[in-house]
Amino acid sequence: RVHSLDYTAGHLLRLLLVQLRDLGGQLLLCRVASGVAEGQDIGRYLETLGLLGERGVKVLPSRNAELEWMEDELLAESGWSQRPSTQALGLAELPLLAGVAPELLAALAAVAEERSLPAGADLFRQGDRGDELFFVRRGLIDAFLPLRSGAPHPVGSFGPGDVFGEIAFLDGHPRTAVARARVDTDLYALSRTRFDALSATHPALGSAVLGRLATALAARLRRTDAELRTIQGR
């Protein structure tokens, strides 16, 4: 939320960088603005001061990316390394469907479509029509809102076992965000039309899926409320 910088602020950042490097750390800059309402090009100004080219300065596109980077560093420091799974999850392995009877899972498998996306491909864009619910079997999907400035605002990331797209699935309105594969990704896609037809013959499955979706959506809204309170300093 920095809208402008002067030479004194730049000098303080340089002093901070020196202290961080002495401690083996780095200076992380998040979403360096290239143009704001006040008119200052902060990115170009930091480049003029020589900060962006300095060793130990890392510029990341979003706060989410910054948090992910720090988490990865902490995990690596503890000796844990993430190895992406090469095995796609089946329906029975998805947390949202845990405990569902095998015969009901078989019925669901008959109407769920398997879909694959290469890294960088969009699954859907803001404003697209669609009634599908998606389950991540393997890979990673990033959801973000495109802003007028051109810098995307991250909404969330979804990995193996996660479910997303539930808003359009529930209300039938256009998509509210962009969903893009960060890596090669495999999904299950479940359309509301097929789901409703399945629920007519398997009402227990329909009520179980909708009930669990409502719980997942409520948890997501609670997290959003907590983030907004933090942002507003309440």
Side-chain angles (χ1 to χ4, degrees), residues 24-109:
Q26 297 187 58
L27 176 63
L28 304 184
L29 300 177
C30 172
R31 290 185 63 186
V32 177
S34 58
V36 292
E38 288 75 6
Q40 184 179 15
D41 190 328
I42 294 177
R44 181 172 297 177
Y45 185 66
L46 289 175
E47 191 173 356
T48 301
L49 294 178
L51 268 172
L52 293 189
E54 284 275 6
R55 177 177 58 86
V57 176
K58 191 171 188 67
V59 181
L60 292 162
S62 68
R63 185 175 58 178
N64 276 9
E66 210 165 57
L67 290 171
E68 286 180 6
W69 183 88
M70 289 189 284
E71 289 167 354
D72 289 342
E73 290 294 306
L74 288 170
L75 290 169
E77 190 175 294
S78 69
W80 184 86
S81 60
Q82 182 178 12
R83 291 181 175 84
S85 174
T86 57
Q87 185 68 35
L89 298 178
L91 284 175
E93 299 171 284
L94 299 173
L96 189 77
L97 301 176
V100 174
E103 62 273 16
L104 294 180
L105 286 177
L108 187 60

Side-chain angles (χ1 to χ4, degrees), residues 165-209:
E166 69 276 10
I167 295 178
F169 178 80
L170 291 172
D171 65 15
H173 291 172
R175 299 292 182 183
T176 58
V178 177
R180 179 172 297 162
R182 190 188 304 182
V183 298
D184 292 348
T185 300
D186 295 323
L187 306 160
Y188 282 121
L190 176 63
S191 77
R192 183 60 188 263
T193 302
R194 291 185 175 184
F195 173 76
D196 286 345
L198 180 65
S199 298
T201 54
H202 297 83
L205 176 62
S207 61
V209 171

